[in-house]
Amino acid sequence: MNRYDRQIRLPEIGREGQEKLLTSSVLCVGAGGLGSPALLYLAAAGVGRIGIIDFDRVDESNLQRQILYSNAAVGQLKATQSADRLSALNPAIQIDAYNEELNAESAARLFPVYDIILDGTDNFEAKFLINDAAVKYGKTWIYGAIQGFDGQASVFNYKGGPCYRCLYPEKPSQPVMNCAEAGVIGAVAGIVGVTQALQAIQIIAGHPSFEILSGRLWRVDTRTMHTQILNIQKNRACVICSREPNAIVPQYASPVCGAVSEISVRRVKNKVNYVLIDVREQEEWDKGSIKGAILWPLSKIIAGHMPESYRGEEIILHCQKGKRSMQAVDILRAHGFADVKSLSGGYEAWLEDAQ
Ligand SMILES: [Zn+2]
């Protein structure tokens, strides 16, 4: 207990709170900018069992904010690397590494095992899935998000409180950029990730003086350091938390507004059952193409010829760099293709990833 002496001294934690921490479990979805600081503090505080689910590998451009990883970890699996780091920090706790993507299947398998789910993801789709699954399996989850210099955090599905879909029933129709696209300072991710870890610790310790961020959205503008807390009402007609758990089908986002326009190479390579369509022109295709892709040039789409035989399937479009395929996504959606995305970075990103 010497390890935890400084927090046990706090009357709000004490020996009782420490025992609760040691017998509790947290699953962190994503070991990136939010997950890194959150996981370090949860492990240091002695949360007895910590799960990490992440399918990604460490990239050099992650190191600026993903403080779990050393330079030597570049190219390695995040789940494994972070588990090693956390075990080195605190060998007395159990760390489970899941090198896989969060989807309805993995959520069904993993969520019931843990007490609390901590969101370390950077996109709406994953947050919707976490929310739906958390409500279905009766788990509180701790939300965090950053956009530029703005950060926010909240706690959903806590003791009958609102869920994320009470706040956002559908995905915003405007595409929202993630960190990789919009840019971020690591310290801002740190503020939010640490706030999430603190919420988890407070929920577990359960002292009455802790006012958990349930029904409240905490926001900080780190340019001015102004913070505010907005109240979130529980929506009695919420599409998720007003339903019977058995009736909830966790999904990434409603297909109606499911306007995630881009998908990463890594994510596509972890996928099965999709149609990959190359929207470049014939002469580009002749110089090289992705195995299994189908050629359907943008010029043909613009001329009004849609890939009708793939209607209803999950379609991923790609071009050379990812720009023309975005245009093609818009056109296909306008023609009623519901599930269509653009491969981020296009053919060049695909080749780069293979190396
Ligand atoms: Zn709800």
Side-chain angles (χ1 to χ4, degrees):
M1 282 296 182
N2 181 46
R3 175 186 292 267
Y4 310 117
D5 176 73
R6 299 303 184 274
Q7 63 199 45
I8 291 173
R9 283 164 190 252
L10 293 166
E12 292 84 353
I13 303 292
R15 286 208 160 263
E16 195 190 334
Q18 189 60 50
E19 283 300 330
K20 287 182 185 168
L21 287 169
L22 288 167
T23 53
S24 66
S25 58
V26 176
L27 175 68
C28 186
V29 182
L34 298 174
S36 285
L39 284 164
L40 284 165
Y41 277 108
L42 293 176
V47 169
R49 183 175 182 187
I50 296 177
I52 306 148
I53 174 167
D54 199 310
F55 65 87
D56 210 359
R57 287 175 188 271
V58 180
D59 183 90
E60 190 185 17
S61 69
N62 298 152
L63 300 178
Q64 158 265 15
R65 63 192 180 285
Q66 300 183 12
I67 55 171
L68 271 170
Y69 312 111
S70 68
N71 198 61
V74 169
Q76 304 296 312
L77 291 165
K78 286 186 182 178
T80 316
Q81 285 296 313
S82 50
D84 290 350
R85 173 78 176 86
L86 298 178
S87 293
L89 170 62
N90 191 346
I93 58 172
Q94 180 182 341
I95 313 283
D96 313 317
Y98 306 103
N99 170 38
E100 57 186 300
E101 186 175 17
L102 183 75
N103 53 36
E105 183 278 317
S106 54
R109 184 163 30 89
L110 300 178
F111 278 30
V113 175
Y114 294 87
D115 299 326
I116 292 174
I117 314 299
L118 193 142
D119 158 38
T121 69
D122 66 353
N123 62 85
F124 274 98
E125 292 67 36
K127 291 177 197 298
F128 278 120
L129 182 70
I130 291 172
N131 181 71
D132 298 359
V135 175
K136 185 177 177 73
Y137 302 110
K139 303 296 172 177
T140 291
W141 72 283
I142 304 170
Y143 156 85
I146 41 175
Q147 178 95 61
F149 286 88
D150 296 322
Q152 53 187 37
S154 188
V155 173
F156 293 110
N157 200 40
Y158 176 73
K159 294 185 176 173
C163 83
Y164 186 61
R165 291 211 196 236
C166 292
L167 178 65
Y168 299 114
E170 303 286 352
K171 192 182 169 301
S173 52
Q174 294 298 319
V176 178
M177 290 186 287
N178 64 29
C179 287
E181 297 151 4
V184 63
I185 289 184
V188 177
I191 287 171
V192 174
V194 169
T195 302
Q196 291 176 273
L198 184 56
Q199 287 291 305
I201 290 166
Q202 292 178 331
I203 289 169
I204 295 163
H207 192 270
S209 68
F210 298 146
E211 282 182 45
I212 302 306
L213 282 172
S214 170
R216 302 187 301 151
L217 181 68
W218 174 81
R219 295 168 68 168
V220 59
D221 177 348
T222 61
R223 277 164 295 225
T224 60
M225 292 313 283
H226 284 142
T227 58
Q228 56 177 165
I229 292 183
L230 306 176
N231 287 321
I232 304 167
Q233 300 296 326
K234 189 172 173 81
N235 175 6
R236 297 288 159 198
C238 173
V239 292
I240 293 298
C241 70
S242 72
R243 283 194 206 169
E244 284 297 312
N246 285 341
I248 297 172
V249 181
Q251 51 186 313
Y252 268 91
S254 150
V256 185
C257 291
V260 177
S261 296
E262 283 195 295
I263 182 163
S264 69
V265 168
R266 176 63 34 197
R267 213 168 261 273
V268 173
K269 288 187 175 177
N270 277 290
K271 257 182 180 304
V272 284
N273 294 334
Y274 63 93
V275 180
L276 184 63
I277 297 181
D278 187 341
V279 300
R280 297 176 305 160
E281 302 303 318
Q282 181 75 52
E283 59 270 23
E284 297 172 281
W285 167 272
D286 292 342
K287 286 180 197 155
S289 63
I290 299 175
K291 192 164 172 268
I294 295 147
L295 177 66
W296 199 284
L298 178 64
S299 57
K300 200 166 158 181
I301 293 171
I302 290 173
H305 300 291
M306 301 299 140
E308 289 298 340
S309 50
Y310 306 108
R311 190 181 278 276
E313 295 190 53
E314 179 174 5
I315 298 175
I316 294 160
L317 304 175
H318 86 84
C319 58
Q320 189 70 17
K321 289 184 157 102
K323 222 170 162 182
R324 281 174 288 168
S325 51
M326 286 292 282
Q327 195 187 341
V329 164
D330 289 341
I331 300 173
L332 259 61
R333 282 193 180 148
H335 281 79
F337 285 79
D339 197 355
V340 47
K341 296 183 194 75
S342 161
L343 179 70
S344 181
Y347 184 57
E348 291 183 7
W350 184 280
L351 290 183
E352 220 165 85
D353 187 80
Q355 285 160 4

